[in-house]
Amino acid sequence: MEKCGEAGFNDLPMAIDVAKLRLGFETHEGRAQELAKLAAVAKEWGMFLVTNHGIPEPVLRGVKDVVKSFFQLSLEEKKASLGSYMSKENKEDGRNFLKAEDQPLIRVDRLTMKVAPKEETDQGLAVWPRTPANFRQVMESYAEEARKLCGELLCALAEALTLERDVFLQKFEPSKESEVKVKVNYYPACPRPEQVLGLPAHSDGSGLTLLMQFDSVAGLQVLKDMKWTTVSWPPDTLLLNFGDLLEIMSNGRLKSSWHRVMPPVGTDRTSIALFYNPPPYVEIEPVPIGDEDKSSIEEEYKKVVVGEYLHHLYSSRSLATSTTAIKQAITFAKA
């Protein structure tokens, strides 16, 4: 497995203070500086840390508590709690090893849920643990807070690119129909880390992905300058990652990151990824840009329907190998 560099985000200018970006802070010189920093970090990394995000600490603590409680259950208890734990969307039980062509073994215990819009019937992603009893309530509270934060950051990103503030956000309307999915990944301590991946390399099929991890256990790696770089951050800080949908809407000015997860050594690791998407029927297309910016655009993107793009992405991902998959699926949305 390739060696990679080490880049703890604490040591790099990658943390964005959301409090300085909020409306009402316009007259403060720190806001302009934070917007400029946001533009630079977003274009360079495709992700950034989020501090002073405004999500109440009890909400975050509640998420960690219910997730830890669920994954402390035995496999039999988890299956009984979910009813369909071994379904297509939730088939890895933490002991399974999946082998994909030209890839190392993959080890992860995964739970995926569709949080919004609410659906009474099980559509494959509406899988909610019944133990602990407050799991769904806690996760829905977190999703509501995260939706507000993602909306703020979509506006700030547009402003940082000197675009109209709502140019990205309007594609997520009506907000009650925008999609929020949550994927909880539990990586058990690995006895053979040199032979195993936590998650294979991929880009997210989302507008934005908000990532929370427990206990500062490093595992996420991002491909930057054709080298894998390990990123880490403190547990009270969230990480925002760009998905393919935002890359399309920004005409490539904000690129989705190519990333993977390495297995933890000597301890387990838990992360919670929240994916924020426009409604599946919405058409997205590149936002208009000024002539002065056109020289920086490498390729033009075209109008696509969100649901159609995601279907293509997941179909392509199931056929891809580690040597051919780097941002290949997004060519579907290129003119």
Side-chain angles (χ1 to χ4, degrees):
M1 197 169 294
E2 309 101 308
K3 294 182 179 180
C4 69
E6 192 79 26
F9 280 9
N10 299 337
D11 303 321
L12 297 174
M14 300 197 64
I16 299 300
D17 187 339
V18 180
K20 293 182 179 179
L21 298 175
R22 291 193 171 109
L23 296 180
F25 205 78
E26 295 95 332
T27 58
H28 196 289
E29 63 178 10
R31 187 171 192 272
Q33 295 173 353
E34 204 69 14
L35 282 170
K37 179 180 176 182
L38 173 61
V41 169
K43 291 178 182 179
E44 182 179 1
W45 286 90
M47 59 174 61
F48 54 88
L49 292 180
V50 183
T51 62
N52 292 324
H53 43 69
I55 299 180
E57 193 277 333
V59 172
L60 298 179
R61 186 174 64 249
V63 171
K64 293 181 180 181
D65 288 345
V66 297
V67 167
K68 285 185 175 181
S69 295
F70 174 78
F71 281 108
Q72 286 172 355
L73 300 174
S74 67
L75 175 60
E76 290 70 24
E77 289 172 318
K78 284 185 284 190
K79 290 170 66 176
S81 174
L82 286 166
S84 57
Y85 187 69
M86 302 301 285
S87 69
K88 179 180 178 181
E89 293 293 341
N90 299 280
K91 61 187 178 182
E92 294 88 5
D93 64 14
R95 297 182 302 175
N96 284 358
F97 288 88
L98 308 180
K99 186 71 170 76
E101 182 182 353
D102 200 30
Q103 291 181 344
L105 294 168
I106 301 167
R107 183 174 182 169
V108 61
D109 192 344
R110 180 180 301 157
L111 175 64
T112 305
M113 298 148 289
K114 183 174 182 179
V115 185
K118 293 184 180 180
E119 295 178 357
E120 297 302 322
T121 59
D122 186 346
Q123 299 297 320
L125 290 176
V127 181
W128 291 100
R130 292 184 288 274
T131 304
N134 62 335
F135 191 105
R136 181 169 186 168
Q137 177 185 359
V138 168
M139 200 62 70
E140 287 180 340
S141 295
Y142 171 59
E144 187 59 32
E145 295 290 341
R147 188 201 296 265
K148 297 175 187 175
L149 175 62
C150 286
E152 286 187 299
L153 292 172
L154 284 168
C155 290
L157 285 164
E159 193 173 353
L161 296 179
T162 65
L163 301 170
E164 294 293 327
R165 274 183 57 84
D166 67 344
V167 72
F168 297 140
L169 183 61
Q170 64 186 347
K171 293 299 183 180
F172 292 77
E173 300 293 341
S175 60
K176 66 179 181 179
E177 295 183 24
S178 60
E179 286 197 343
V180 178
K181 296 177 182 178
V182 173
K183 182 175 290 184
V184 183
N185 294 304
Y186 170 72
Y187 307 93
C190 183
R192 295 178 291 162
E194 73 283 354
Q195 300 179 22
V196 180
L197 275 177
L199 286 178
H202 64 283
S203 61
D204 291 341
S206 63
L208 296 178
T209 301
L210 194 62
L211 190 65
M212 179 198 311
Q213 70 174 13
F214 296 178
D215 304 322
S216 298
V217 178
L220 177 67
Q221 293 183 345
V222 61
L223 190 67
K224 186 176 184 296
D225 301 326
M226 297 310 295
K227 295 181 180 179
W228 287 109
T229 299
T230 298
V231 296
S232 61
W233 64 95
D236 58 343
T237 304
L238 302 175
L239 183 138
L240 190 86
N241 185 49
F242 303 157
D244 287 357
L245 302 180
L246 186 61
E247 178 169 335
I248 295 167
M249 286 188 281
S250 67
N251 209 24
R253 295 169 76 186
L254 301 174
K255 295 187 181 298
S256 59
S257 70
W258 190 249
H259 56 280
R260 68 184 185 184
V261 178
M262 304 304 292
V265 179
T267 186
D268 56 6
R269 177 179 182 266
T270 305
S271 68
I272 302 172
L274 181 144
F275 305 97
Y276 188 46
N277 286 7
Y281 58 81
V282 166
E283 288 185 329
I284 59 173
E285 59 185 324
V287 299
I289 59 174
D291 292 337
E292 67 277 8
D293 294 324
K294 289 184 178 179
S295 60
S296 63
I297 301 299
E298 298 175 3
E299 297 182 75
E300 291 286 338
Y301 292 74
K302 63 182 180 181
K303 181 184 294 186
V304 294
V305 177
V306 169
E308 292 177 0
Y309 177 78
L310 294 179
H311 176 76
H312 168 78
L313 173 69
Y314 297 134
S315 298
S316 301
R317 186 176 292 174
S318 65
L319 299 174
T321 69
S322 61
T323 56
T324 64
I326 297 180
K327 300 297 285 292
Q328 188 178 55
I330 205 167
T331 58
F332 178 83
K334 291 184 177 178

